[in-house]
Amino acid sequence: MYLTTTIPYVNARPHLGHALELVQADVLARHHRRRGEPVRFQTGTDDNSLKNVLAAEAAGVPVRELVDRNAAAFEGLRGPLDLSFDSFIRTSTHPGHRAGVERIWEATRHDLYQRHYEGLYCVGCEQFYPEGPCPDGHEAPLQRVSEQNWFFRLSSYQDALSELIRSERLRIEPVARRNEVLAFIEAGLDDLSVSRSAARARGWGIPVPGDPDQVVYVWWDALANYVTALEGDDYDRWWVSERRKVHLMGKGVIRFHAVYWPAMLLSAGKPLPTGIFVHDYLTVGGRKISKSSGDAADPVALVDAYGVDAVRWWLLREVPRVGDADFTEERLVARADEDLANGLGNLVNRVVTMVHRFLDGHVPAAGEELAAVPVDEALEAFDFRRAAAAVWTLVEEANRYVERTQPWRQSRAGQEAALGTLVHACRTLAVQLEPFLPTAAARVAAAVAGERLPRPEPLFRRLATAGVAG
Ligand SMILES: [Zn+2]
Protein backbone atom coordinates (compact mmCIF):
# COMPACT_ATOMS: atom_id res chain seq x y z
CA MET A 1 0.00 0.00 0.00
CA TYR A 2 1.19 3.49 -0.87
CA LEU A 3 -0.26 5.74 1.79
CA THR A 4 0.05 9.50 1.94
CA THR A 5 -1.09 12.32 4.18
CA THR A 6 -1.65 15.78 2.78
CA ILE A 7 1.33 18.09 2.95
CA PRO A 8 0.36 21.04 5.16
CA TYR A 9 1.23 24.68 4.61
CA VAL A 10 4.09 25.66 6.86
CA ASN A 11 2.90 29.15 7.71
CA ALA A 12 2.74 28.05 11.36
CA ARG A 13 3.81 25.19 13.60
CA PRO A 14 1.88 21.90 13.52
CA HIS A 15 -1.28 21.57 15.63
CA LEU A 16 -3.37 18.69 16.88
CA GLY A 17 -5.34 18.46 13.63
CA HIS A 18 -2.13 17.61 11.78
CA ALA A 19 -1.32 15.06 14.47
CA LEU A 20 -4.71 13.39 13.91
CA GLU A 21 -4.06 12.77 10.23
CA LEU A 22 -0.48 11.61 10.82
CA VAL A 23 -1.50 9.20 13.59
CA GLN A 24 -4.35 7.78 11.49
CA ALA A 25 -1.95 7.18 8.61
CA ASP A 26 0.57 5.66 10.99
CA VAL A 27 -1.99 3.13 12.27
CA LEU A 28 -2.82 2.03 8.72
CA ALA A 29 0.86 1.79 7.79
CA ARG A 30 1.72 -0.29 10.87
CA HIS A 31 -1.37 -2.47 10.45
CA HIS A 32 -0.58 -3.34 6.84
CA ARG A 33 3.12 -3.87 7.54
CA ARG A 34 2.21 -6.26 10.34
CA ARG A 35 0.17 -8.27 7.86
CA GLY A 36 3.30 -8.63 5.76
CA GLU A 37 2.26 -6.20 3.03
CA PRO A 38 4.81 -3.81 1.58
CA VAL A 39 3.96 -0.27 2.68
CA ARG A 40 5.27 3.13 1.78
CA PHE A 41 3.97 5.80 4.16
CA GLN A 42 4.71 9.32 2.98
CA THR A 43 4.16 12.76 4.43
CA GLY A 44 5.80 16.16 4.05
CA THR A 45 5.24 19.89 3.78
CA ASP A 46 3.89 22.31 1.19
CA ASP A 47 6.61 24.94 1.24
CA ASN A 48 5.59 26.86 -1.89
CA SER A 49 2.33 28.42 -0.71
CA LEU A 50 1.64 32.13 -0.96
CA LYS A 51 0.32 31.78 2.57
CA ASN A 52 3.85 31.00 3.75
CA VAL A 53 5.10 34.17 2.04
CA LEU A 54 2.51 36.33 3.79
CA ALA A 55 3.17 34.70 7.17
CA ALA A 56 6.88 35.42 6.78
CA GLU A 57 6.17 39.04 5.84
CA ALA A 58 3.90 39.43 8.88
CA ALA A 59 6.58 37.93 11.13
CA GLY A 60 9.31 40.05 9.54
CA VAL A 61 11.53 37.07 8.71
CA PRO A 62 12.77 35.83 5.33
CA VAL A 63 10.43 33.28 3.73
CA ARG A 64 13.14 30.66 3.58
CA GLU A 65 13.80 30.99 7.30
CA LEU A 66 10.13 30.69 8.29
CA VAL A 67 9.54 27.77 5.94
CA ASP A 68 12.64 25.88 7.11
CA ARG A 69 11.80 26.40 10.77
CA ASN A 70 8.18 25.26 10.50
CA ALA A 71 8.92 22.38 8.12
CA ALA A 72 11.46 21.11 10.67
CA ALA A 73 8.74 21.23 13.34
CA PHE A 74 6.50 19.04 11.16
CA GLU A 75 9.24 16.53 10.45
CA GLY A 76 10.08 16.65 14.15
CA LEU A 77 6.68 15.17 15.07
CA ARG A 78 8.07 11.78 14.13
CA GLY A 79 9.74 11.11 17.50
CA PRO A 80 7.15 12.54 19.92
CA LEU A 81 4.18 10.95 18.11
CA ASP A 82 5.93 7.64 17.34
CA LEU A 83 5.34 7.98 13.61
CA SER A 84 6.75 5.44 11.17
CA PHE A 85 6.66 7.36 7.89
CA ASP A 86 9.11 6.13 5.25
CA SER A 87 9.46 9.38 3.38
CA PHE A 88 9.12 13.09 4.15
CA ILE A 89 8.98 15.39 1.14
CA ARG A 90 9.44 19.17 1.29
CA THR A 91 8.31 20.78 -1.94
CA SER A 92 10.92 23.55 -1.84
CA THR A 93 13.93 21.33 -1.19
CA HIS A 94 13.15 17.86 -2.55
CA PRO A 95 15.62 17.45 -5.42
CA GLY A 96 13.16 15.86 -7.86
CA HIS A 97 10.05 17.88 -7.06
CA ARG A 98 10.45 20.89 -9.33
CA ALA A 99 11.47 18.78 -12.33
CA GLY A 100 8.54 16.46 -11.63
CA VAL A 101 6.06 19.36 -11.53
CA GLU A 102 7.50 20.62 -14.83
CA ARG A 103 7.11 17.16 -16.39
CA ILE A 104 3.45 16.96 -15.38
CA TRP A 105 2.93 20.47 -16.73
CA GLU A 106 4.41 19.43 -20.08
CA ALA A 107 2.39 16.20 -20.13
CA THR A 108 -0.86 18.18 -19.68
CA ARG A 109 0.09 20.99 -22.07
CA HIS A 110 -2.58 19.84 -24.55
CA ASP A 111 -5.15 20.84 -21.89
CA LEU A 112 -3.58 24.21 -20.96
CA TYR A 113 -4.41 27.62 -22.40
CA GLN A 114 -4.05 31.29 -21.40
CA ARG A 115 -6.95 33.46 -20.39
CA HIS A 116 -7.53 36.76 -18.66
CA TYR A 117 -9.02 36.17 -15.27
CA GLU A 118 -10.71 38.26 -12.63
CA GLY A 119 -11.81 36.77 -9.38
CA LEU A 120 -11.89 36.94 -5.60
CA TYR A 121 -9.02 35.08 -4.03
CA CYS A 122 -8.79 33.67 -0.51
CA VAL A 123 -5.15 33.38 0.46
CA GLY A 124 -6.19 31.19 3.41
CA CYS A 125 -7.60 28.58 1.03
CA GLU A 126 -5.36 29.47 -1.92
CA GLN A 127 -8.34 29.43 -4.24
CA PHE A 128 -10.81 31.68 -6.03
CA TYR A 129 -14.43 32.13 -4.97
CA PRO A 130 -17.30 33.77 -6.87
CA GLU A 131 -18.10 35.95 -3.85
CA GLY A 132 -17.03 36.62 -0.25
CA PRO A 133 -16.73 35.94 2.54
CA CYS A 134 -14.60 32.78 2.42
CA PRO A 135 -16.93 29.77 2.91
CA ASP A 136 -14.19 28.04 4.92
CA GLY A 137 -14.25 30.82 7.53
CA HIS A 138 -11.04 32.72 6.77
CA GLU A 139 -11.53 36.20 8.13
CA ALA A 140 -9.23 38.20 5.87
CA PRO A 141 -11.27 39.83 3.07
CA LEU A 142 -10.98 38.12 -0.31
CA GLN A 143 -8.58 39.89 -2.70
CA ARG A 144 -9.80 41.03 -6.10
CA VAL A 145 -7.29 39.62 -8.57
CA SER A 146 -7.15 40.49 -12.25
CA GLU A 147 -4.45 38.82 -14.30
CA GLN A 148 -3.57 36.67 -17.28
CA ASN A 149 -3.35 33.04 -16.10
CA TRP A 150 -2.89 29.55 -17.46
CA PHE A 151 -6.06 27.47 -17.38
CA PHE A 152 -6.51 23.71 -17.30
CA ARG A 153 -9.39 22.19 -19.28
CA LEU A 154 -11.00 20.56 -16.23
CA SER A 155 -14.39 20.70 -17.96
CA SER A 156 -13.24 17.98 -20.39
CA TYR A 157 -12.91 15.48 -17.55
CA GLN A 158 -16.35 15.70 -16.01
CA ASP A 159 -17.66 12.37 -17.34
CA ALA A 160 -14.40 10.51 -16.77
CA LEU A 161 -14.22 11.71 -13.15
CA SER A 162 -17.81 10.87 -12.45
CA GLU A 163 -17.33 7.35 -13.85
CA LEU A 164 -14.08 6.90 -11.92
CA ILE A 165 -15.82 7.61 -8.61
CA ARG A 166 -19.11 5.86 -9.32
CA SER A 167 -17.26 2.69 -10.36
CA GLU A 168 -15.20 2.88 -7.12
CA ARG A 169 -11.97 2.59 -9.08
CA LEU A 170 -11.40 5.66 -6.92
CA ARG A 171 -13.02 4.80 -3.61
CA ILE A 172 -13.94 7.73 -1.37
CA GLU A 173 -14.73 7.16 2.29
CA PRO A 174 -16.95 8.01 4.10
CA VAL A 175 -19.77 7.73 1.61
CA ALA A 176 -21.22 11.16 2.45
CA ARG A 177 -17.98 12.68 1.16
CA ARG A 178 -18.17 10.61 -2.00
CA ASN A 179 -21.68 11.89 -2.66
CA GLU A 180 -20.56 15.45 -2.02
CA VAL A 181 -17.81 15.10 -4.65
CA LEU A 182 -20.15 13.49 -7.18
CA ALA A 183 -22.65 16.32 -6.72
CA PHE A 184 -19.90 18.87 -7.31
CA ILE A 185 -18.66 17.11 -10.46
CA GLU A 186 -22.09 16.46 -11.89
CA ALA A 187 -23.19 20.09 -11.36
CA GLY A 188 -20.66 20.90 -14.08
CA LEU A 189 -16.95 21.65 -13.91
CA ASP A 190 -15.35 24.94 -14.91
CA ASP A 191 -11.83 25.11 -16.22
CA LEU A 192 -9.28 25.68 -13.47
CA SER A 193 -6.80 28.54 -13.16
CA VAL A 194 -3.45 26.81 -12.63
CA SER A 195 -0.94 29.65 -12.50
CA ARG A 196 -0.42 32.92 -10.62
CA SER A 197 1.53 36.02 -11.49
CA ALA A 198 5.08 35.65 -10.18
CA ALA A 199 4.88 39.23 -8.91
CA ARG A 200 1.84 38.47 -6.74
CA ALA A 201 3.60 35.36 -5.43
CA ARG A 202 6.66 37.53 -4.62
CA GLY A 203 8.65 35.20 -6.84
CA TRP A 204 8.11 32.28 -4.43
CA GLY A 205 7.11 28.99 -6.07
CA ILE A 206 7.86 27.07 -9.26
CA PRO A 207 7.95 29.13 -12.50
CA VAL A 208 5.66 28.00 -15.30
CA PRO A 209 7.80 26.24 -17.93
CA GLY A 210 8.36 28.73 -20.76
CA ASP A 211 6.53 31.56 -18.94
CA PRO A 212 8.66 32.84 -16.03
CA ASP A 213 6.23 35.70 -15.28
CA GLN A 214 3.88 33.07 -13.88
CA VAL A 215 4.33 30.52 -11.10
CA VAL A 216 2.54 27.17 -10.99
CA TYR A 217 -0.61 27.27 -8.83
CA VAL A 218 0.44 25.99 -5.40
CA TRP A 219 -2.21 23.27 -5.38
CA TRP A 220 -0.99 21.88 -8.67
CA ASP A 221 2.53 21.99 -7.26
CA ALA A 222 1.50 20.43 -3.94
CA LEU A 223 -0.66 17.62 -5.38
CA ALA A 224 2.21 16.58 -7.62
CA ASN A 225 4.21 15.61 -4.50
CA TYR A 226 2.46 12.25 -4.41
CA VAL A 227 4.38 11.26 -7.54
CA THR A 228 7.40 13.60 -7.59
CA ALA A 229 8.60 12.10 -4.31
CA LEU A 230 8.83 8.72 -6.04
CA GLU A 231 12.15 8.80 -7.80
CA GLY A 232 13.54 6.31 -10.27
CA ASP A 233 12.31 2.76 -9.68
CA ASP A 234 10.11 3.95 -6.81
CA TYR A 235 7.72 5.57 -9.26
CA ASP A 236 7.14 2.28 -11.07
CA ARG A 237 6.98 0.33 -7.83
CA TRP A 238 4.59 2.60 -5.92
CA TRP A 239 2.62 4.52 -8.53
CA VAL A 240 2.44 2.18 -11.53
CA SER A 241 2.51 -1.34 -10.07
CA GLU A 242 1.07 -0.81 -6.59
CA ARG A 243 -2.50 -2.01 -6.25
CA ARG A 244 -3.55 0.35 -3.44
CA LYS A 245 -2.67 4.05 -3.46
CA VAL A 246 -4.52 5.85 -0.70
CA HIS A 247 -4.56 9.56 0.16
CA LEU A 248 -5.64 10.69 3.66
CA MET A 249 -6.94 14.23 4.11
CA GLY A 250 -9.20 16.62 5.98
CA LYS A 251 -12.64 17.46 4.62
CA GLY A 252 -11.55 20.93 3.48
CA VAL A 253 -9.31 19.70 0.66
CA ILE A 254 -11.32 16.85 -0.81
CA ARG A 255 -12.14 18.72 -4.04
CA PHE A 256 -8.46 19.13 -4.81
CA HIS A 257 -7.77 15.44 -4.30
CA ALA A 258 -10.91 13.86 -5.73
CA VAL A 259 -11.40 16.21 -8.70
CA TYR A 260 -8.36 18.28 -9.68
CA TRP A 261 -5.70 15.67 -8.95
CA PRO A 262 -7.27 12.75 -10.85
CA ALA A 263 -8.03 15.11 -13.76
CA MET A 264 -4.38 16.20 -13.87
CA LEU A 265 -3.31 12.56 -13.93
CA LEU A 266 -5.87 11.61 -16.58
CA SER A 267 -4.63 14.48 -18.74
CA ALA A 268 -1.00 13.48 -18.21
CA GLY A 269 -1.79 9.83 -18.99
CA LYS A 270 -0.60 8.62 -15.60
CA PRO A 271 -2.10 6.00 -13.24
CA LEU A 272 -4.66 7.18 -10.69
CA PRO A 273 -4.93 6.84 -6.91
CA THR A 274 -7.33 4.14 -5.72
CA GLY A 275 -8.56 5.51 -2.40
CA ILE A 276 -9.34 8.75 -0.63
CA PHE A 277 -10.11 8.82 3.06
CA VAL A 278 -11.50 12.01 4.52
CA HIS A 279 -11.48 12.92 8.20
CA ASP A 280 -13.40 15.77 9.79
CA TYR A 281 -11.91 18.50 11.94
CA LEU A 282 -10.93 18.80 15.57
CA THR A 283 -11.96 21.68 17.72
CA VAL A 284 -10.18 22.50 20.97
CA GLY A 285 -12.33 23.53 23.89
CA GLY A 286 -15.23 24.09 21.50
CA ARG A 287 -13.33 26.42 19.16
CA LYS A 288 -11.66 26.06 15.81
CA ILE A 289 -7.94 25.45 16.23
CA SER A 290 -5.97 28.68 15.82
CA LYS A 291 -2.81 30.30 17.08
CA SER A 292 -4.62 31.28 20.27
CA SER A 293 -5.25 27.61 21.08
CA GLY A 294 -1.61 27.58 22.30
CA ASP A 295 -0.26 24.51 24.07
CA ALA A 296 -3.72 22.92 24.24
CA ALA A 297 -3.46 22.25 20.51
CA ASP A 298 0.33 21.68 20.33
CA PRO A 299 0.92 17.94 19.89
CA VAL A 300 4.47 18.08 21.24
CA ALA A 301 3.43 20.02 24.36
CA LEU A 302 0.66 17.46 24.93
CA VAL A 303 3.05 14.53 24.55
CA ASP A 304 5.47 16.24 26.96
CA ALA A 305 2.70 16.63 29.52
CA TYR A 306 0.77 13.37 29.13
CA GLY A 307 2.90 10.94 27.13
CA VAL A 308 2.49 9.67 23.59
CA ASP A 309 0.16 6.80 24.50
CA ALA A 310 -2.45 9.12 25.99
CA VAL A 311 -2.33 11.51 23.04
CA ARG A 312 -2.51 8.80 20.35
CA TRP A 313 -5.20 6.95 22.26
CA TRP A 314 -7.44 10.00 22.49
CA LEU A 315 -7.08 10.71 18.77
CA LEU A 316 -7.88 7.12 17.82
CA ARG A 317 -10.45 6.17 20.41
CA GLU A 318 -12.47 9.41 20.61
CA VAL A 319 -12.50 10.95 17.14
CA PRO A 320 -15.50 9.69 15.15
CA ARG A 321 -15.35 8.70 11.52
CA VAL A 322 -17.88 11.37 10.64
CA GLY A 323 -18.42 14.62 12.55
CA ASP A 324 -16.07 17.01 14.27
CA ALA A 325 -14.59 16.09 17.63
CA ASP A 326 -13.83 18.42 20.49
CA PHE A 327 -10.55 18.01 22.32
CA THR A 328 -9.93 19.03 25.90
CA GLU A 329 -7.10 17.99 28.20
CA GLU A 330 -9.68 16.77 30.73
CA ARG A 331 -11.09 14.36 28.14
CA LEU A 332 -7.63 13.13 27.24
CA VAL A 333 -6.80 12.49 30.91
CA ALA A 334 -10.13 10.79 31.62
CA ARG A 335 -9.81 8.50 28.61
CA ALA A 336 -6.19 7.59 29.30
CA ASP A 337 -6.83 6.84 32.96
CA GLU A 338 -9.93 4.81 32.32
CA ASP A 339 -8.61 2.75 29.43
CA LEU A 340 -4.86 2.67 29.80
CA ALA A 341 -4.16 2.89 33.54
CA ASN A 342 -7.33 1.22 34.87
CA GLY A 343 -8.21 -1.05 31.96
CA LEU A 344 -5.09 -2.31 30.26
CA GLY A 345 -2.46 -1.46 32.87
CA ASN A 346 -4.46 -3.01 35.66
CA LEU A 347 -5.16 -6.17 33.68
CA VAL A 348 -1.52 -6.85 32.82
CA ASN A 349 -0.43 -6.02 36.34
CA ARG A 350 -2.95 -8.39 37.90
CA VAL A 351 -2.05 -11.22 35.56
CA VAL A 352 1.71 -10.87 36.06
CA THR A 353 1.27 -10.54 39.83
CA MET A 354 -0.81 -13.73 39.98
CA VAL A 355 1.65 -15.65 37.83
CA HIS A 356 4.35 -14.68 40.34
CA ARG A 357 2.24 -15.37 43.42
CA PHE A 358 0.83 -18.74 42.39
CA LEU A 359 3.28 -20.09 39.82
CA ASP A 360 6.56 -18.46 40.85
CA GLY A 361 6.57 -16.46 37.59
CA HIS A 362 6.44 -19.53 35.34
CA VAL A 363 4.07 -19.19 32.36
CA PRO A 364 1.80 -22.23 31.96
CA ALA A 365 0.62 -23.53 28.59
CA ALA A 366 -2.05 -21.39 26.98
CA GLY A 367 -5.58 -22.43 27.90
CA GLU A 368 -8.58 -21.27 25.93
CA GLU A 369 -8.63 -18.42 23.43
CA LEU A 370 -10.55 -15.29 24.41
CA ALA A 371 -12.64 -13.37 21.87
CA ALA A 372 -11.03 -12.65 18.50
CA VAL A 373 -10.45 -8.99 17.72
CA PRO A 374 -12.11 -7.76 14.48
CA VAL A 375 -9.70 -4.91 13.77
CA ASP A 376 -9.15 -5.59 10.08
CA GLU A 377 -12.66 -4.86 8.96
CA ALA A 378 -12.86 -1.57 10.87
CA LEU A 379 -9.54 -0.38 9.47
CA GLU A 380 -10.57 -1.44 5.98
CA ALA A 381 -13.50 0.97 6.41
CA PHE A 382 -11.03 3.59 7.74
CA ASP A 383 -12.92 3.61 11.03
CA PHE A 384 -10.23 4.13 13.66
CA ARG A 385 -12.60 4.59 16.56
CA ARG A 386 -14.31 1.29 15.83
CA ALA A 387 -10.92 -0.42 15.38
CA ALA A 388 -9.65 0.93 18.71
CA ALA A 389 -12.89 -0.12 20.39
CA ALA A 390 -12.46 -3.61 18.89
CA VAL A 391 -9.04 -3.98 20.50
CA TRP A 392 -10.60 -2.82 23.70
CA THR A 393 -13.16 -5.61 23.78
CA LEU A 394 -10.27 -7.99 24.46
CA VAL A 395 -9.15 -5.96 27.49
CA GLU A 396 -12.69 -6.03 28.83
CA GLU A 397 -13.12 -9.70 28.02
CA ALA A 398 -9.88 -10.54 29.84
CA ASN A 399 -10.86 -8.47 32.90
CA ARG A 400 -14.24 -10.25 32.99
CA TYR A 401 -12.45 -13.59 32.67
CA VAL A 402 -10.41 -12.77 35.81
CA GLU A 403 -13.60 -11.99 37.74
CA ARG A 404 -15.34 -15.10 36.47
CA THR A 405 -12.56 -17.61 37.05
CA GLN A 406 -11.07 -16.01 40.20
CA PRO A 407 -7.72 -17.79 39.84
CA TRP A 408 -6.88 -17.13 43.54
CA ARG A 409 -9.65 -19.55 44.53
CA GLN A 410 -8.65 -22.29 42.11
CA SER A 411 -6.61 -25.45 42.55
CA ARG A 412 -3.10 -25.43 41.13
CA ALA A 413 -4.37 -26.97 37.86
CA GLY A 414 -7.18 -24.42 37.67
CA GLN A 415 -4.71 -21.59 38.25
CA GLU A 416 -2.47 -22.87 35.51
CA ALA A 417 -5.34 -23.07 33.03
CA ALA A 418 -6.73 -19.62 33.87
CA LEU A 419 -3.38 -17.84 33.97
CA GLY A 420 -2.24 -19.55 30.78
CA THR A 421 -5.32 -18.13 29.07
CA LEU A 422 -4.72 -14.68 30.54
CA VAL A 423 -1.02 -14.46 29.65
CA HIS A 424 -1.91 -15.52 26.14
CA ALA A 425 -4.61 -12.81 25.99
CA CYS A 426 -2.10 -10.17 27.13
CA ARG A 427 0.35 -11.29 24.44
CA THR A 428 -2.39 -11.07 21.82
CA LEU A 429 -3.22 -7.60 23.09
CA ALA A 430 0.38 -6.48 22.69
CA VAL A 431 0.26 -7.57 19.04
CA GLN A 432 -3.16 -6.06 18.34
CA LEU A 433 -2.30 -2.81 20.05
CA GLU A 434 0.97 -2.23 18.21
CA PRO A 435 -0.42 -0.17 15.31
CA PHE A 436 -2.34 2.07 17.72
CA LEU A 437 0.08 2.46 20.63
CA PRO A 438 3.49 1.17 19.58
CA THR A 439 5.36 2.09 22.78
CA ALA A 440 2.65 0.85 25.14
CA ALA A 441 2.39 -2.35 23.10
CA ALA A 442 6.13 -2.88 23.51
CA ARG A 443 5.83 -2.44 27.29
CA VAL A 444 2.94 -4.92 27.44
CA ALA A 445 4.89 -7.40 25.31
CA ALA A 446 7.93 -7.08 27.60
CA ALA A 447 5.79 -7.53 30.72
CA VAL A 448 4.47 -10.91 29.53
CA ALA A 449 7.54 -12.13 27.61
CA GLY A 450 9.41 -15.38 28.11
CA GLU A 451 8.75 -18.60 30.00
CA ARG A 452 9.29 -16.86 33.31
CA LEU A 453 7.79 -13.40 33.57
CA PRO A 454 9.70 -10.37 34.84
CA ARG A 455 8.48 -8.80 38.09
CA PRO A 456 5.33 -6.71 37.65
CA GLU A 457 5.81 -2.99 37.18
CA PRO A 458 3.19 -0.30 36.54
CA LEU A 459 2.73 0.18 32.78
CA PHE A 460 0.95 3.54 32.84
CA ARG A 461 1.06 6.40 35.30
CA ARG A 462 -2.32 7.72 36.37
CA LEU A 463 -2.56 11.18 34.83
CA ALA A 464 -5.33 12.69 36.94
CA THR A 465 -3.73 11.89 40.30
CA ALA A 466 -0.31 12.79 38.96
CA GLY A 467 -1.65 16.34 38.83
CA VAL A 468 -0.51 17.06 35.28
CA ALA A 469 -4.00 18.13 34.34
CA GLY A 470 -3.92 21.29 36.47
ZN1 LIG B 1 -10.51 30.69 2.78
Side-chain angles (χ1 to χ4, degrees):
M1 172 185 269
Y2 177 37
L3 181 68
T4 68
T5 69
T6 49
I7 53 170
Y9 302 131
V10 287
N11 60 334
R13 293 173 56 81
H15 58 61
L16 199 61
H18 301 116
L20 172 67
E21 188 169 310
L22 286 162
V23 168
Q24 288 182 336
D26 190 63
V27 172
L28 289 179
R30 290 177 185 273
H31 173 69
H32 286 275
R33 282 191 206 112
R34 191 182 53 170
R35 301 202 314 184
E37 297 166 34
V39 170
R40 180 187 170 97
F41 166 18
Q42 180 174 303
T43 184
T45 52
D46 173 3
D47 294 357
N48 295 336
S49 159
L50 180 54
K51 213 168 164 168
N52 301 336
V53 177
L54 298 182
E57 282 179 359
V61 297
V63 187
R64 171 53 63 195
E65 188 182 315
L66 178 107
V67 163
D68 285 350
R69 193 204 306 151
N70 286 333
F74 275 89
E75 192 163 7
L77 292 176
R78 183 186 176 89
L81 286 174
D82 253 333
L83 303 172
S84 64
F85 51 80
D86 302 295
S87 159
F88 190 96
I89 177 174
R90 290 188 52 195
T91 56
S92 72
T93 58
H94 184 80
H97 181 69
R98 178 168 168 173
V101 170
E102 289 168 349
R103 272 198 304 278
I104 297 175
W105 187 275
E106 293 299 346
T108 59
R109 194 173 271 287
H110 60 105
D111 280 323
L112 300 174
Y113 64 95
Q114 283 177 295
R115 190 171 102 193
H116 184 79
Y117 190 78
E118 272 193 53
L120 290 167
Y121 198 72
C122 176
V123 175
C125 300
E126 298 267 17
Q127 66 171 322
F128 285 103
Y129 289 107
E131 57 192 26
C134 163
D136 207 38
H138 291 113
E139 280 167 21
L142 304 191
Q143 299 174 2
R144 178 156 295 282
V145 173
S146 169
E147 62 194 26
Q148 175 94 355
N149 288 155
W150 287 91
F151 274 73
F152 172 67
R153 248 181 271 281
L154 182 65
S155 54
S156 308
Y157 293 93
Q158 183 171 329
D159 293 344
L161 290 169
S162 168
E163 197 277 326
L164 176 71
I165 294 166
R166 286 197 178 278
S167 69
E168 301 223 322
R169 280 190 292 130
L170 177 58
R171 176 177 161 224
I172 301 176
E173 292 281 352
V175 95
R177 297 294 170 208
R178 169 178 181 268
N179 294 340
E180 184 184 309
V181 169
L182 280 170
F184 174 74
I185 292 170
E186 290 166 8
L189 295 176
D190 293 328
D191 289 351
L192 178 68
S193 160
V194 292
S195 72
R196 302 286 176 262
S197 91
R200 195 158 64 82
R202 319 288 201 273
W204 188 250
I206 298 179
V208 166
D211 184 3
D213 290 342
Q214 295 271 302
V215 294
V216 174
Y217 178 35
V218 66
W219 266 104
W220 180 288
D221 167 336
L223 289 164
N225 96 86
Y226 301 130
V227 296
T228 61
L230 303 171
E231 292 179 290
D233 293 344
D234 279 343
Y235 176 79
D236 289 331
R237 168 64 190 86
W238 295 105
W239 198 256
V240 180
S241 310
E242 175 55 39
R243 195 172 55 84
R244 297 190 74 186
K245 289 162 277 183
V246 176
H247 300 312
L248 259 69
M249 71 203 60
K251 62 182 175 184
V253 298
I254 181 170
R255 186 176 301 176
F256 300 94
H257 287 82
V259 181
Y260 305 159
W261 173 231
M264 285 165 63
L265 292 165
L266 284 167
S267 174
K270 291 179 184 297
L272 299 167
T274 61
I276 283 182
F277 168 52
V278 187
H279 61 80
D280 283 5
Y281 289 155
L282 292 182
T283 53
V284 170
R287 314 170 84 147
K288 193 172 169 173
I289 297 178
S290 70
K291 285 207 178 83
S292 61
S293 308
D295 277 2
D298 177 347
V300 176
L302 290 170
V303 167
D304 285 346
Y306 302 111
V308 62
D309 299 320
V311 173
R312 282 180 69 117
W313 192 242
W314 188 86
L315 292 170
L316 295 164
R317 180 88 149 104
E318 293 273 348
V319 176
R321 182 161 176 271
V322 177
D324 294 347
D326 188 50
F327 173 83
T328 65
E329 291 179 62
E330 291 73 20
R331 288 188 185 129
L332 174 139
V333 167
R335 180 48 89 179
D337 280 351
E338 184 185 335
D339 284 0
L340 302 182
N342 297 346
L344 175 62
N346 210 17
L347 168 70
V348 175
N349 202 270
R350 281 168 102 184
V351 170
V352 175
T353 301
M354 286 191 286
V355 170
H356 275 280
R357 182 172 308 150
F358 303 127
L359 307 174
D360 194 29
H362 292 282
V363 177
E368 55 190 303
E369 188 94 28
L370 297 184
V373 188
V375 173
D376 288 25
E377 191 212 334
L379 287 181
E380 207 49 47
F382 298 114
D383 191 338
F384 298 94
R385 191 165 69 164
R386 187 152 61 87
V391 176
W392 226 251
T393 58
L394 183 52
V395 175
E396 289 163 345
E397 181 67 24
N399 272 323
R400 276 197 297 271
Y401 183 87
V402 174
E403 296 309 321
R404 195 167 67 238
T405 56
Q406 305 196 341
W408 52 91
R409 295 201 171 153
Q410 302 263 353
S411 65
R412 169 89 183 188
Q415 285 171 342
E416 285 185 345
L419 292 173
T421 297
L422 286 165
V423 169
H424 180 69
C426 291
R427 287 175 177 170
T428 305
L429 263 174
V431 173
Q432 296 287 352
L433 205 57
E434 191 273 337
F436 301 87
L437 303 178
T439 52
R443 290 203 302 278
V444 172
V448 290
E451 289 172 15
R452 191 158 185 209
L453 300 186
R455 289 258 146 220
E457 279 180 48
L459 290 175
F460 299 95
R461 64 193 168 110
R462 211 170 297 276
L463 298 179
T465 54
V468 194

